[in-house]
Amino acid sequence: MQRKSACQCVSRSPCRMSRMADPGRPSNALADATSRFNGERLTMARQLAGLKKSALAAKIDMSPASVTGWEAGTKFPNRGTVAKLALALGVAPEFFGGGAPTRVTAPHFRSLRSTPQVAQDEAKAYARFAAEIVGLLDKAVEFPELLLPDLTVDADDPSAPEASAREARAFFGAAPGPIQHVVRLVERAGVAVVYSEPRIASIDAYSLHSGTRPIIILNPAKDDYYRQRFDVAHELGHLVMHHDSDPGSKALEDQANRFAAEFLMPADGIRSALPASTAGHGWNRLNDLKEHWGVSLAALLYRARTLGVMSDVSYRNAMIRMSENGWRRAEPGRVSTLEMPSMLPRARESLNDAGIYDEAFLSGAGLPVSLYRTVVSRTPRGEPDVFD
């Protein structure tokens, strides 16, 4: 099946683009937002700001019960209160009149039990915001067709994740050996890849399905080429294997890790090269494999143990050495530049080339420009990328 490249965003009809470029807003925007006020959008904006209801109430000098009523749709704020809410939450008043937020599935967080509820809410709100941005861009530029295999795993089949990874490689037409650019592969399959806000960088990479297309959200603080590649493959595993599964269980996370290991380091291609221990030239061999396959030392050790090449004792000794050397936090490696998303950044560039800049594109939606720029960024901190 022919696929469109994620690197070729094409502008749609000029008449639509010219209409989008008009930055004018009706003088009664605040009145319209008040009359069409949607409580779910208030919840989304509040969670996106990392605020509890009581904290938001204090910021606008109202009661928490009022905030609860507005979000539940049993009460409605007046025009002055809508203006206060918009100012406190950093959105335009029009944001509250935009209809129900884009629906998303429960995100697959790595450590659900250890993630505070406020952080979970903020991360999910950010995902819904990103899904809205993706939906807006999808109407303005041509994105790749969504082409993901359905590889739902059988819980009773112990080899299911590895089999799913092999099927996924075949589906994507991956050649034997290392996958050269994992982010580009998933973007060409129609998956949106974005960086999260620095404020929620305490949460690792996560993924979800939305009403627009699947989204993988990367941790901007995880500035490691090798580990990020495993993160993307791990989240791809969730997207193709766990459509209807409740996220957060250790079993699902283990399945996603096994999928990522087989997807990035197929057993048939790596087993004979893995060392049985780190004695002698073991570390040198692991370092060479790290550069060849584009994965971390930790991932290689995990792979050696799960394939039965390395014993539990040798694995434990290797991990102790990793800790002593500080490699559990930052491993040595030759590649310092991350694989960067390009689908959404190029969509924004296409709009800019057509004379449609961020404020004009978001006109009428009330979405925060600063968060829009985070969603469509190529890099976690805005530095130029050279690995795209």
Side-chain angles (χ1 to χ4, degrees):
M1 187 180 297
Q2 186 175 3
R3 296 179 174 83
K4 300 171 187 174
S5 169
C7 304
Q8 296 179 347
C9 292
V10 181
S11 299
R12 295 197 189 277
S13 64
C15 60
R16 171 173 171 74
M17 301 294 280
S18 62
R19 288 198 301 270
M20 290 172 56
D22 180 8
R25 294 181 179 179
S27 59
N28 62 346
L30 181 57
D32 286 347
T34 304
S35 64
R36 296 186 295 113
F37 188 87
N38 186 293
E40 288 185 80
R41 297 190 74 77
L42 173 58
T43 302
M44 176 182 171
R46 174 180 61 79
Q47 292 176 340
L48 197 59
L51 296 175
K52 294 183 177 180
K53 293 176 184 178
S54 57
L56 174 58
K59 286 175 73 73
I60 63 171
D61 198 24
M62 298 289 285
S63 70
S66 295
V67 176
T68 297
W70 299 331
E71 293 190 3
T74 58
K75 297 180 181 179
F76 296 92
N78 60 33
R79 191 181 306 187
T81 302
V82 171
K84 286 183 180 180
L85 289 169
L87 183 63
L89 296 173
V91 298
E94 299 97 305
F95 178 83
F96 300 116
T102 301
R103 299 299 177 189
V104 300
T105 59
H108 285 280
F109 295 130
R110 301 288 178 85
S111 301
L112 196 58
R113 292 181 181 177
S114 63
T115 304
Q117 188 60 50
V118 171
Q120 290 184 42
D121 291 342
E122 187 171 355
K124 186 171 182 178
Y126 181 80
R128 296 179 86 173
F129 177 85
E132 288 204 11
I133 292 299
V134 172
L136 288 174
L137 290 170
D138 213 349
K139 295 175 183 177
V141 299
E142 187 176 358
F143 279 155
E145 180 184 358
L146 179 59
L147 293 170
L148 282 183
D150 182 353
L151 302 173
T152 304
V153 293
D154 181 353
D156 296 326
D157 184 353
S159 62
E162 289 79 10
S164 294
R166 290 189 290 272
E167 288 186 55
R169 284 183 66 103
F171 179 88
F172 294 127
I179 292 176
Q180 297 302 316
H181 201 302
V182 184
V183 170
R184 185 170 297 150
L185 180 147
V186 299
E187 285 190 322
R188 284 176 174 164
V191 178
V193 180
V194 307
Y195 286 105
S196 71
E197 277 193 288
R199 192 170 61 234
I200 53 176
S202 59
I203 294 180
D204 215 332
Y206 60 104
S207 59
L208 60 145
H209 290 272
S210 76
T212 50
R213 57 183 62 228
I215 300 174
I216 292 175
I217 299 178
L218 302 177
N219 186 332
K222 201 168 188 176
D223 194 5
D224 188 301
Y225 162 82
Y226 308 90
R227 289 175 175 169
Q228 181 179 283
R229 281 167 53 85
F230 197 92
D231 284 349
V232 175
H234 176 104
E235 300 307 328
L236 176 63
H238 281 312
L239 292 177
V240 300
M241 295 191 301
H242 302 143
H243 302 283
D244 302 317
S245 303
D246 292 330
S249 76
K250 187 178 184 301
L252 292 188
E253 292 306 308
D254 180 65
Q255 287 179 343
N257 280 334
R258 289 164 55 194
F259 174 97
E262 178 68 23
F263 190 77
L264 295 177
M265 302 168 281
D268 290 346
I270 199 172
R271 180 185 279 109
S272 62
L274 289 167
S277 76
T278 54
H281 297 290
W283 285 113
N284 289 337
R285 190 185 304 180
L286 286 168
N287 282 320
D288 290 342
L289 291 172
K290 172 175 181 166
E291 304 304 332
H292 178 71
W293 291 96
V295 295
S296 67
L297 293 174
L300 286 164
L301 291 169
Y302 171 86
R303 194 65 170 139
R305 184 183 65 166
T306 56
L307 289 177
V309 174
M310 186 174 288
S311 69
D312 288 343
V313 172
S314 295
Y315 174 79
R316 185 167 56 252
N317 290 338
M319 295 307 291
I320 291 173
R321 176 71 180 277
M322 291 270 291
S323 296
E324 291 173 347
N325 290 343
W327 295 347
R328 300 289 292 272
R329 296 184 302 275
E331 291 185 10
R334 299 173 195 165
V335 182
S336 58
T337 306
L338 298 172
E339 292 183 356
M340 304 298 179
S342 63
M343 188 170 81
L344 299 189
R346 291 193 179 186
R348 180 195 184 202
E349 291 165 7
S350 292
L351 291 171
N352 290 169
D353 290 343
I356 303 169
Y357 299 102
D358 299 347
E359 290 79 3
F361 177 65
L362 298 177
S363 177
L367 299 170
V369 174
S370 60
L371 281 180
Y372 167 73
R373 288 172 177 160
T374 299
V375 170
V376 299
S377 175
R378 290 179 182 273
T379 66
R381 291 180 302 279
E383 68 269 39
D385 58 284
V386 296
F387 196 84
D388 183 53

